Amino acid sequence: MNSEIYLDNAATTKPYEEVIERMSDVARFTYGNSSSTHKKGIEGHRIVKSASETLSNILHCEPNEIIFTSGGSESNNMAIKGIFDANKGRGRHVITTPIEHPTLINTVKELNKDDGSYDLLAFDDNKNLDIKKLHQLVKKQTILVSIMHVNSETGEIIDLEKASSLTKNLNDRTYFHTDSVQGFCKLPINLNKLNNIDLLSLSGHKIKGPKGIGALYIKKNTNIKCLIEGGSHQYGLRAGTLNTPGIAGLEIAAKLAYNKLQENYDHVRVLNDYTKDMLKQYCKDYIINSPAINSPYILNIAFSGIASEVLLNHLSSKEIYVSAGSACSSSKKHSKVLQSMGVDDKYINGAIRVSFNHENTKAEIDLFIKEVNSILPMLRKFRRK
Amino acid sequence: MNSEIYLDNAATTKPYEEVIERMSDVARFTYGNSSSTHKKGIEGHRIVKSASETLSNILHCEPNEIIFTSGGSESNNMAIKGIFDANKGRGRHVITTPIEHPTLINTVKELNKDDGSYDLLAFDDNKNLDIKKLHQLVKKQTILVSIMHVNSETGEIIDLEKASSLTKNLNDRTYFHTDSVQGFCKLPINLNKLNNIDLLSLSGHKIKGPKGIGALYIKKNTNIKCLIEGGSHQYGLRAGTLNTPGIAGLEIAAKLAYNKLQENYDHVRVLNDYTKDMLKQYCKDYIINSPAINSPYILNIAFSGIASEVLLNHLSSKEIYVSAGSACSSSKKHSKVLQSMGVDDKYINGAIRVSFNHENTKAEIDLFIKEVNSILPMLRKFRRK
């Protein structure tokens, strides 16, 4: 089994063994509905309470500011639609960026049909998001600014402190949301210090936790509407029987990842740098699309004169797994993120994303580079014909 | 462990062992993101495809008419809001019933704020939902009729054939939705024959499947909007990384339950009748709120002169688990369902729901009745003081 080299950890991860075991235990023994008032219900409720406390300790917020959702996509949809619907009487303008996850940017674009309007932040000359442009965009009618924490294709890290405090300085009634699906438990987040952030999305399956579970941090006193409504669950903010096995699994994953956050970061930083060194040594005519200030968990490389799908297929046949962009936009031809960054046409077709976890090794990188290097000349030859 | 007697299966169920093992296997070995184009992604995609086929075989529909959701609550929300938002240009009137799940009826009521209007079906003299009243309610502007399949508190079965065909006869452009969370895999559903049903909600954890997973059947050519939008997943109808372990678990549970549908039904029918016999033999001054045409999986009993919570707490202390109503409305004082049915005040406080699964036994019912009988006189004495 272990011959496979999984370098697509930004798409999804293999759960920790402890997560799988904990989920099975909860499903088997603590299966009560956490809303039931009998003992089995109370056992279920305790699981939810414990997970809320763990997440709130990690994020430095209150347990009742955490809402469990079915994942990052639901969290993003709830943040955008929930803030828009609850506050549209006050203004219908939203600001976001061209590098957001499709569940965010497409949801913002849909608001147009509901009489909303939006603006997108542009890039600066260094191909980083130009936060200062908020000065020109935030207005009285702006009810929400949503800027992601870590870009899922390039690993660019946004300075949330700067972005959120600038937003509040420009309009203290504008809510600030961040999609931290690629940042949570990989980079430190202290919401007590980052107190201009009102909403934050996170996901279980990006941190070796379960699929189908995520959360939305909602700062107290935030005026937001339900996405999934009708029940008294979760302070009336999200109906539906709580997924206690998933919630317990998310708790374990978050604990394991958070306890070794720095250690894992350092390991992955070394791997990321090592990959770049090996590329420099063995490969020709490529660029690195990941910016200087980036999450080491994600490395975006673009080879000239190839179609990335062909490279991916070859690597897949050798059980080496990387991706062309985010899995969620895998049906699209070009990466919209790289396009909006202005990446040269010569490279954009040949972009791949390598995304690490702390269990990856240098030996795996060696094999990856070896395979890339062995096939690249042939791919370029074919392409030229 | 096996001393506990779980008779709250309409709230949630203990998953089949096969479900737990399959989920662990998928999480451990087939963890790829089903949207990824490499081999691990394709493995994930196959899981989704297989589950879609299994569910479509069970429901007698097409695989691409099944959308996986995070559960019955999301399915109900998507059906109501999705149909309303997509069709409100044609009419803003919705019809539902007073006995729906809170995620349905409360969502319908919320539409009022969005310029919608709704009507509720009433009961006939036999305390059954009066389907014929649709004649007076369906109008040109009616875009949706939503009537549940099996009531979660009383087990009343609605004649979906009659309700859906009457709806279409009155207005062939009105969509018909049913919440079948308590019916799926317990009663036969043939959507090929029931071809006036456009949407059907189902849930995993009510059939000994996983929590956090469900589905919405959407008949082809139905005009519906996304609830969780932004991705190309699931025909563009529901964004978010697919919860492959949950989907695989749902598939197994549905297969196991469907293959023994009649056998399980017969077993539970015997238990339900046995419970009523034992009540007749040993208990006094109670009524059965479940109507004549009911799902044997649910039995609603009301004892006069007691508060059901006290009875539930006593039973819970003996590891016997039943509920006062649906878990989702457990924070409410009176059951709205029983109130709307016109259940006498004398009994409404003392109503409990006993809900079975095919693993329950007569010996368990004996112990349940024994405990009820031993405490009932004392509860009534206390109450009178």
Side-chain angles (χ1 to χ4, degrees):
Chain A
M1 253 349 253
N2 244 355
S3 67
E4 73 179 34
I5 298 175
Y6 189 74
L7 294 168
D8 198 12
N9 292 284
T12 194
T13 57
K14 177 176 178 171
Y16 292 103
E17 191 56 32
E18 292 91 329
V19 167
I20 298 172
E21 281 166 20
R22 175 83 173 122
M23 288 181 76
S24 297
D25 274 358
V26 171
R28 200 173 275 127
F29 303 116
T30 327
Y31 55 84
N33 186 318
S34 64
S35 298
S36 296
T37 55
H38 51 59
K39 206 173 81 183
K40 291 217 76 76
I42 293 164
E43 285 169 6
H45 179 69
R46 273 198 207 112
I47 289 171
V48 179
K49 196 163 171 277
S50 168
S52 303
E53 282 165 3
T54 296
L55 292 189
S56 70
N57 284 335
I58 289 174
L59 293 170
H60 300 82
C61 65
E62 297 298 319
N64 61 8
E65 293 176 317
I66 304 284
I67 300 296
F68 294 103
T69 66
S70 63
S73 297
E74 183 189 328
S75 296
N76 282 345
N77 268 261
M78 182 173 174
I80 302 302
K81 295 182 184 176
I83 291 293
F84 187 82
D85 286 346
N87 300 283
K88 61 186 176 186
R90 199 157 60 68
R92 291 164 179 262
H93 182 244
V94 175
I95 299 169
T96 187
T97 83
I99 62 167
E100 301 295 317
H101 190 266
T103 56
L104 201 127
I105 191 162
N106 292 344
T107 303
V108 167
K109 287 180 177 174
E110 272 291 305
L111 297 181
N112 262 336
K113 297 186 185 158
D114 207 8
D115 293 337
S117 67
Y118 68 91
D119 279 299
L120 298 181
L121 272 187
F123 286 85
D124 62 20
D125 295 339
N126 298 321
K127 294 184 180 169
N128 290 321
L129 218 51
D130 195 355
I131 300 298
K132 293 188 302 296
K133 288 263 163 66
L134 283 172
H135 279 287
Q136 295 154 37
L137 299 177
V138 176
K139 43 191 177 182
K140 191 166 168 270
Q141 297 78 21
T142 307
I143 47 176
L144 178 67
V145 171
S146 179
I147 301 182
M148 76 194 322
H149 186 187
V150 175
N151 181 260
S152 62
E153 293 192 38
T154 66
E156 178 181 1
I157 298 175
I158 308 303
D159 185 339
L160 292 179
E161 214 287 303
K162 195 170 144 191
S164 61
S165 57
L166 180 54
T167 298
K168 295 285 178 177
N169 281 340
L170 293 165
N171 183 344
D172 63 0
R173 296 188 72 195
T174 302
Y175 287 111
F176 188 91
H177 168 254
T178 185
D179 171 359
S180 185
V181 161
Q182 300 289 353
F184 175 65
C185 281
K186 292 175 180 165
L187 303 174
I189 302 168
N190 185 332
L191 290 172
N192 192 31
K193 287 188 186 163
L194 292 166
N195 61 356
N196 289 312
I197 297 179
D198 301 296
L199 304 116
L200 180 145
S201 302
L202 62 92
S203 163
H205 74 105
K206 308 288 192 191
I207 58 160
K208 295 174 74 56
K211 290 185 174 63
I213 193 78
L216 180 63
Y217 159 78
I218 307 175
K219 190 194 262 183
K220 61 169 128 346
N221 300 324
T222 297
N223 187 23
I224 188 166
K225 264 200 68 171
C226 294
L227 184 69
I228 298 178
E229 63 194 314
S232 55
H233 314 79
Q234 304 204 70
Y235 326 106
L237 282 173
R238 205 278 189 184
T241 298
L242 280 115
N243 175 3
T244 42
I247 289 168
L250 170 59
E251 178 182 17
I252 298 278
K255 256 187 196 167
L256 290 171
Y258 185 70
N259 288 344
K260 296 202 169 182
L261 191 147
Q262 189 61 46
E263 192 178 317
N264 294 344
Y265 181 96
D266 292 342
H267 177 87
V268 166
R269 179 89 272 167
V270 168
L271 281 186
N272 188 308
D273 291 342
Y274 183 73
T275 310
K276 285 186 280 193
D277 288 347
M278 290 295 105
L279 281 167
K280 204 177 282 178
Q281 205 165 327
Y282 294 105
C283 299
K284 273 185 227 164
D285 212 3
Y286 68 90
I287 55 169
I288 300 291
N289 291 317
S290 298
I293 301 171
N294 83 319
S295 162
Y297 286 88
I298 295 173
L299 179 64
N300 197 300
I301 312 157
F303 301 98
S304 76
I306 68 156
S308 56
E309 304 89 76
V310 191
L311 176 57
L312 298 190
N313 283 344
H314 172 76
L315 292 172
S316 175
S317 74
K318 304 286 177 184
E319 299 200 311
I320 299 172
Y321 305 111
V322 300
S323 70
S326 83
C328 300
S329 52
S330 58
S331 61
K332 275 158 208 146
K333 270 207 140 173
H334 281 176
S335 159
K336 289 199 173 168
V337 171
L338 300 183
Q339 265 181 315
S340 69
M341 281 170 64
V343 171
D344 195 313
D345 273 0
K346 182 181 165 194
Y347 291 102
I348 205 162
N349 284 322
I352 64 168
R353 176 184 69 179
V354 181
S355 51
F356 308 94
N357 80 56
H358 64 269
E359 287 166 352
N360 289 130
T361 62
K362 283 188 180 176
E364 290 181 331
I365 303 302
D366 288 339
L367 285 166
F368 161 67
I369 295 286
K370 190 181 147 221
E371 280 304 333
V372 168
N373 211 29
S374 76
I375 193 80
L376 219 46
M378 201 168 75
L379 294 183
R380 284 174 172 154
K381 215 187 215 167
F382 269 107
R383 180 85 175 178
R384 268 186 223 115
K385 277 180 186 171
Chain B
M1 256 345 256
N2 243 355
S3 67
E4 74 180 33
I5 298 175
Y6 189 75
L7 295 167
D8 198 12
N9 291 284
T12 195
T13 57
K14 177 176 177 169
Y16 292 104
E17 192 55 32
E18 292 91 329
V19 167
I20 297 172
E21 281 166 19
R22 175 83 173 121
M23 289 181 74
S24 297
D25 275 357
V26 171
R28 200 174 276 128
F29 304 117
T30 327
Y31 55 85
N33 186 320
S34 64
S35 298
S36 296
T37 55
H38 51 58
K39 207 173 80 183
K40 293 220 73 80
I42 294 165
E43 286 169 5
H45 179 69
R46 275 200 204 110
I47 289 171
V48 179
K49 195 163 173 275
S50 169
S52 301
E53 283 165 1
T54 297
L55 292 189
S56 69
N57 285 334
I58 289 173
L59 292 170
H60 300 82
C61 66
E62 298 298 320
N64 61 9
E65 293 175 317
I66 305 284
I67 300 296
F68 293 102
T69 66
S70 64
S73 297
E74 183 189 327
S75 295
N76 282 345
N77 269 261
M78 179 173 175
I80 301 301
K81 294 183 185 175
I83 291 293
F84 187 83
D85 286 345
N87 299 282
K88 61 186 176 186
R90 198 158 59 68
R92 292 165 180 260
H93 182 243
V94 175
I95 299 169
T96 187
T97 83
I99 63 167
E100 301 296 318
H101 190 267
T103 57
L104 201 127
I105 191 161
N106 291 345
T107 303
V108 167
K109 287 179 177 174
E110 272 290 306
L111 298 181
N112 263 336
K113 296 185 187 159
D114 207 7
D115 292 337
S117 67
Y118 68 90
D119 280 299
L120 298 181
L121 273 185
F123 286 85
D124 62 20
D125 294 339
N126 299 321
K127 293 183 181 171
N128 290 321
L129 217 52
D130 196 353
I131 301 297
K132 292 189 303 299
K133 287 263 163 65
L134 283 172
H135 279 288
Q136 295 155 38
L137 299 178
V138 175
K139 44 191 177 183
K140 189 165 170 272
Q141 297 77 22
T142 309
I143 47 175
L144 178 67
V145 171
S146 179
I147 302 181
M148 77 195 321
H149 186 189
V150 175
N151 181 261
S152 63
E153 293 193 37
T154 66
E156 177 180 1
I157 298 175
I158 308 303
D159 185 339
L160 291 179
E161 213 289 301
K162 196 169 144 189
S164 61
S165 56
L166 180 54
T167 298
K168 294 287 178 177
N169 281 340
L170 293 165
N171 184 345
D172 64 359
R173 297 188 72 194
T174 302
Y175 288 110
F176 187 91
H177 167 255
T178 186
D179 171 359
S180 185
V181 161
Q182 301 288 352
F184 175 66
C185 281
K186 292 175 180 165
L187 303 174
I189 303 168
N190 184 332
L191 290 171
N192 192 30
K193 287 188 185 162
L194 292 166
N195 61 356
N196 289 313
I197 296 178
D198 301 296
L199 304 116
L200 179 145
S201 302
L202 62 90
S203 163
H205 75 105
K206 307 289 191 189
I207 58 160
K208 294 174 75 57
K211 290 184 174 64
I213 192 78
L216 180 63
Y217 159 77
I218 307 175
K219 190 194 262 181
K220 62 169 124 351
N221 299 324
T222 297
N223 186 24
I224 188 165
K225 265 200 67 171
C226 294
L227 184 69
I228 297 177
E229 63 193 316
S232 55
H233 315 78
Q234 305 204 68
Y235 326 108
L237 282 172
R238 204 280 191 186
T241 298
L242 281 113
N243 175 2
T244 42
I247 289 169
L250 170 59
E251 178 181 18
I252 299 278
K255 256 188 196 167
L256 290 170
Y258 185 70
N259 288 343
K260 295 203 170 182
L261 191 146
Q262 189 62 45
E263 192 178 316
N264 293 345
Y265 181 94
D266 293 342
H267 177 88
V268 166
R269 179 90 272 167
V270 168
L271 281 186
N272 187 308
D273 291 342
Y274 183 75
T275 311
K276 284 187 279 193
D277 288 348
M278 290 295 105
L279 281 168
K280 203 177 279 178
Q281 206 165 329
Y282 294 104
C283 298
K284 274 185 225 164
D285 212 2
Y286 69 91
I287 55 168
I288 300 290
N289 290 317
S290 297
I293 302 172
N294 83 319
S295 162
Y297 286 87
I298 295 172
L299 180 63
N300 196 301
I301 313 157
F303 300 98
S304 76
I306 68 154
S308 56
E309 306 88 75
V310 192
L311 176 56
L312 298 190
N313 283 344
H314 172 76
L315 292 172
S316 174
S317 75
K318 304 286 175 183
E319 298 199 314
I320 299 173
Y321 305 111
V322 299
S323 70
S326 82
C328 301
S329 51
S330 57
S331 61
K332 276 158 206 143
K333 269 208 140 173
H334 281 175
S335 158
K336 289 200 173 166
V337 172
L338 300 182
Q339 264 181 317
S340 70
M341 282 170 64
V343 171
D344 195 313
D345 272 0
K346 183 181 164 193
Y347 290 103
I348 206 162
N349 284 322
I352 65 168
R353 175 183 70 178
V354 181
S355 51
F356 308 95
N357 80 57
H358 63 270
E359 287 166 352
N360 289 129
T361 62
K362 282 188 180 176
E364 290 181 330
I365 303 302
D366 287 340
L367 284 166
F368 161 67
I369 295 287
K370 189 180 149 223
E371 280 304 334
V372 169
N373 212 28
S374 77
I375 193 80
L376 218 44
M378 202 169 75
L379 294 183
R380 283 173 171 155
K381 218 186 210 165
F382 270 107
R383 182 85 173 179
R384 267 186 224 115
K385 278 182 189 169

